[in-house]
Amino acid sequence: MNVINLSESEYVINEFSLEEIGTRKFCVFDFEATGPDQLNDFITQIGAVILGKDGLIVEQYKTFVRPPKPIPELIEKLTGIFNKDVENARSFSDVIDEFFTFFSGCVLVTQAGYEYDLPLLLEECRRNNKPLEAPLVIDTKALFTYLHPEYTEIVSTNFLINYYMIDDTDIQRHDALGDSILISRIFNKMMDECWDKGIDQIRFNNLKVKKVRLTPLE
């Protein structure tokens, strides 16, 4: 897979192929971090769920991660994760092998992951000398754009919740496990669309996707 930034508002995906999606095992994951910059920020929480073939969650994973710098106060307020929550947590290098084992054999699924989660994971692995070949990751944002090229909106999480009429009243947002559960519900709706359209192979080539527009924290 090749992701190329075209501008501050758009990127393009090439050379992504996922075949026989009906036989695949999926792990939906999410990170919380000290901020949105993968080069200068660090993971503070990992959440993930593994889906069975019926789309139901069969395993869950959640852990705090102690970052090497404090969580800024504005990020504490946004995520509900405070410095006191992570001060005694394990470091990234101490938890990553456990997380690798959890998602072994799965296709990873995330929302806005090509912009944020995947680059952050790869950067954390590089910083900690934990080699990781780029795993197969499908971004629900890109998948929606692939399935619905007629839409020009930014495919945010809230957009997808509204489009698929997802019930998120029981979800704790900005919690890595809570967001993973929410993304899994969205992903299941997309898989239903694939089955309805007879799609068993997903290929992204010259797929242009609009980037998330971050709201400034105040």
Side-chain angles (χ1 to χ4, degrees), residues 175-210:
D175 171 83
L177 180 58
D179 283 343
S180 295
I181 294 170
L182 176 59
I183 297 164
S184 75
R185 294 176 185 176
I186 293 169
F187 181 67
N188 280 333
K189 293 287 188 180
M190 293 182 176
M191 288 295 97
D192 288 343
E193 282 194 88
C194 288
W195 311 146
D196 291 345
K197 294 179 179 181
I199 296 172
D200 193 41
Q201 177 177 283
I202 297 168
R203 288 184 176 176
F204 299 159
N205 276 304
N206 198 33
L207 181 69
K208 294 180 180 178
V209 182
K210 290 190 176 179

Side-chain angles (χ1 to χ4, degrees), residues 9 32-33 35 43-44 46 51 62 86 97 106 119 123-124 134-135 144 150-151 153 165 168 174 188 213 216:
S9 62
E32 297 300 329
I43 293 171
T44 57
I46 300 171
L51 304 180
K62 180 178 179 179
V86 298
D97 288 337
C106 295
E123 178 62 21
E124 284 276 38
F144 182 88
E150 70 275 15
Y151 281 88
E153 292 90 337
M165 294 183 289
D168 67 339
H174 298 298
N188 280 333
R213 186 175 297 155

